[in-house]
């Protein structure tokens, strides 16, 4: 539980949720037991705070994305996320569709990373995203509202 102590400290200092990047190498190798154990430990130590698992879907083959999402469900996490926004292509509709297919309605699916247009955000929502994470959220909202007023 290497990440448990910093995560608990963040919670103690007022965090309302904790996002954790899944160990990509282990997911690629199909080494699920340590990943599941770590996620379960985080969920336990952080309860009742939500734990969201970032899968960096653009860096993983689909089978590893499915494994990671399934482990998030089994561990009792609250959501899965496509990306940190720092690696790979970021959020893509096909990744959101795959995540939603695995987690169903049980977990949230947050599309994040590289979202730069209202059209892209709408496509991700249509693919199954329950949340959008974008550093330019206000701009996206303004563009969306402008499109509704003009169109």
């Amino acid at each position: 539980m290497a990440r448990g102590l910093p995560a608990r400290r963040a919670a103690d200092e007022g965090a309302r949720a904790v996002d954790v990047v899944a160990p990509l190498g282990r997911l690629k190798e199909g080494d699920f037991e340590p990943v599941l154990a770590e996620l379960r430990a985080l969920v336990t130590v952080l309860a009742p705070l939500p734990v969201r698992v970032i899968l960096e879907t653009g860096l993983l083959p689909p089978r590893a994305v499915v494994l990671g999402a399934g482990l998030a469900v089994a561990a009792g996490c609250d959501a899965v996320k496509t990306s940190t926004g720092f690696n790979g292509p970021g959020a893509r509709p096909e990744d959101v569709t795959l995540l939603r297919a695995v987690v169903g309605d049980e977990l949230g699916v947050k599309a994040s990373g590289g979202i730069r247009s209202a059209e892209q955000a709408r496509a991700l929502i249509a693919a199954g995203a329950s949340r959008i994470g974008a550093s330019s959220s206000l701009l996206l909202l303004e563009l969306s509202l402008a499109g509704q007023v003009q169109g």
Side-chain angles (χ1 to χ4, degrees):
M1 194 176 71
R3 296 186 257 194
L5 293 177
R8 183 69 250 168
R9 185 177 40 214
D12 291 343
E13 292 179 6
R16 295 185 302 188
V18 173
D19 293 5
V20 59
V21 178
L24 305 182
R26 289 192 184 275
L27 291 177
K28 284 181 181 178
E29 295 167 8
D31 189 14
F32 69 91
E33 289 176 6
V35 178
L36 180 58
E38 183 173 349
L39 291 177
R40 282 185 172 153
L42 281 169
V43 167
T44 299
V45 80
L46 292 170
L49 291 182
V51 174
R52 298 180 293 226
V53 180
I54 304 167
L55 293 171
E56 295 293 7
T57 54
L59 301 178
L60 292 174
R63 66 175 176 69
V65 172
V66 168
L67 176 61
L71 292 174
V73 172
C77 296
D78 295 276
V80 289
K81 292 177 61 173
T82 57
S83 173
T84 59
F86 297 109
N87 296 301
R92 300 176 299 192
E94 60 269 25
D95 296 325
V96 171
T97 299
L98 182 59
L99 290 172
R100 179 56 68 202
V102 175
V103 304
D105 293 332
E106 197 169 336
L107 272 63
V109 174
K110 184 172 182 179
S112 57
I115 304 168
R116 292 185 175 75
S117 73
E119 180 181 6
Q120 185 183 11
R122 283 191 291 273
L124 293 164
I125 292 167
S130 50
R131 298 185 84 165
I132 298 291
S135 57
S136 56
S137 297
L138 185 56
L139 177 61
L140 291 177
L141 182 59
E142 289 171 357
L143 291 172
S144 182
L145 291 174
Q148 289 177 2
V149 173
Q150 295 172 4

